[in-house]
Amino acid sequence: NAGVTQTPKFQVLKTGQSMTLQCAQDMNHEYMSWYRQDPGMGLRLIHYSVGAGITDQGEVPNGYNVSRSTTEDFPLRLLSAAPSQTSVYFCASSYSLPGNGYTFGSGTRLTVV
Amino acid sequence: AQTVTQSQPEMSVQEAETVTLSCTYDTSESDYYLFWYKQPPSRQMILVIRQEAYKQQNATENRFSVNFQKAAKSFSLKISDSQLGDAAMYFCAYRGAASKLTFGTGTRLQVTL
């Protein structure tokens, strides 16, 4: 079982560049989320989706776009990278029942210079 | 909005001893779930234990147990017989009706010989 697969694991971008972080899950989970992790701030929710075609903003959505055309995939787009977006990004997925914990990908360390 | 607070940025425990990590939360919901996640240096997020708010019995998973005080909105994690492999960041998390996962800022646990 692959679980939640995130690519790439590491990325360096120049300010102003755009890129897409990929996330795929093979567990038929309805819910998918993107978090960013910064020192001393825990994990903060960027965007989430409760099913294909449905997305919503989390706590820190500015500068990021998402779409969910299939149950399996939930890519995160950085439109114009800024140094403030230097962070570790996690994708996570879960069944809809709230008693289920989320399963996390292995993370992407992004550096914007 | 729900909030999760972890007031101990760092904790230290000797091998084979017991340590308790604190977590408090704020919510107006009556039914929800609480989780503890472990993040070792590998960066992977690992679900350690979960607790349903309607269950009075505290959850236990091997050496890990919780002290859930619903009225006080407190959810502490006790690690017994600490091992070197327990050294990690530990995150407390809340999941309610909206099914988003809200995290605390984390506690870094050091295990010493």
Side-chain angles (χ1 to χ4, degrees):
Chain A
N1 289 339
V4 179
T5 302
Q6 280 184 247
T7 56
K9 295 192 182 311
F10 300 93
Q11 183 70 48
V12 179
L13 284 180
K14 292 183 179 179
T15 298
Q17 285 185 318
S18 63
M19 79 160 295
T20 299
L21 305 184
Q22 301 291 344
C23 176
Q25 53 94 6
D26 62 355
M27 297 169 284
N28 205 30
H29 285 169
E30 299 96 330
Y31 286 25
M32 296 187 75
S33 302
W34 276 102
Y35 291 87
R36 60 177 288 172
Q37 182 179 13
D38 302 293
M41 304 192 75
L43 281 79
R44 293 181 293 168
L45 183 64
I46 305 172
H47 285 286
Y48 65 100
S49 169
V50 299
I54 306 170
T55 63
D56 205 348
Q57 296 181 350
E59 183 184 356
V60 288
N62 291 341
Y64 308 95
N65 274 359
V66 292
S67 61
R68 187 141 177 232
S69 56
T70 67
T71 300
E72 295 78 17
D73 300 299
F74 191 44
L76 178 72
R77 298 182 189 85
L78 282 70
L79 305 176
S80 178
S84 61
Q85 294 179 303
T86 294
S87 187
V88 178
Y89 291 84
F90 286 96
C91 180
S93 70
S94 171
Y95 291 115
S96 59
L97 290 176
N100 294 284
Y102 274 74
T103 301
F104 283 78
S106 57
T108 296
R109 180 175 292 280
L110 175 68
T111 302
V112 183
V113 298
Chain B
Q2 292 77 26
T3 58
V4 178
T5 302
Q6 293 180 251
S7 59
Q8 304 156 315
E10 291 189 5
M11 293 282 287
S12 183
V13 63
Q14 283 191 321
E15 200 177 17
E17 296 297 308
T18 296
V19 65
T20 298
L21 308 183
S22 301
C23 173
T24 59
Y25 59 94
D26 188 26
T27 184
S28 58
E29 296 178 313
S30 57
D31 194 15
Y32 49 86
Y33 287 80
L34 297 163
F35 303 87
W36 280 98
Y37 280 86
K38 172 184 177 181
Q39 187 182 44
S42 67
R43 199 168 71 192
Q44 186 66 45
M45 294 289 287
I46 301 166
L47 178 61
V48 174
I49 198 165
R50 80 189 74 197
Q51 174 78 43
E52 182 180 2
Y54 267 111
K55 288 189 176 178
Q56 293 185 342
Q57 186 173 9
N58 289 324
T60 299
E61 291 285 347
N62 300 315
R63 298 181 295 105
F64 297 88
S65 61
V66 300
N67 183 4
F68 174 51
Q69 302 289 328
K70 190 173 184 179
K73 295 180 181 174
S74 171
F75 182 60
S76 61
L77 175 70
K78 185 172 81 170
I79 306 174
S80 304
D81 186 26
S82 296
Q83 301 175 0
L84 293 177
D86 295 333
M89 282 289 290
Y90 287 83
F91 292 98
C92 178
Y94 172 100
R95 183 173 182 176
S99 280
K100 296 180 288 184
L101 205 55
T102 301
F103 286 90
T105 52
T107 297
R108 183 175 301 279
L109 178 66
Q110 290 184 318
V111 181
T112 59
L113 294 172

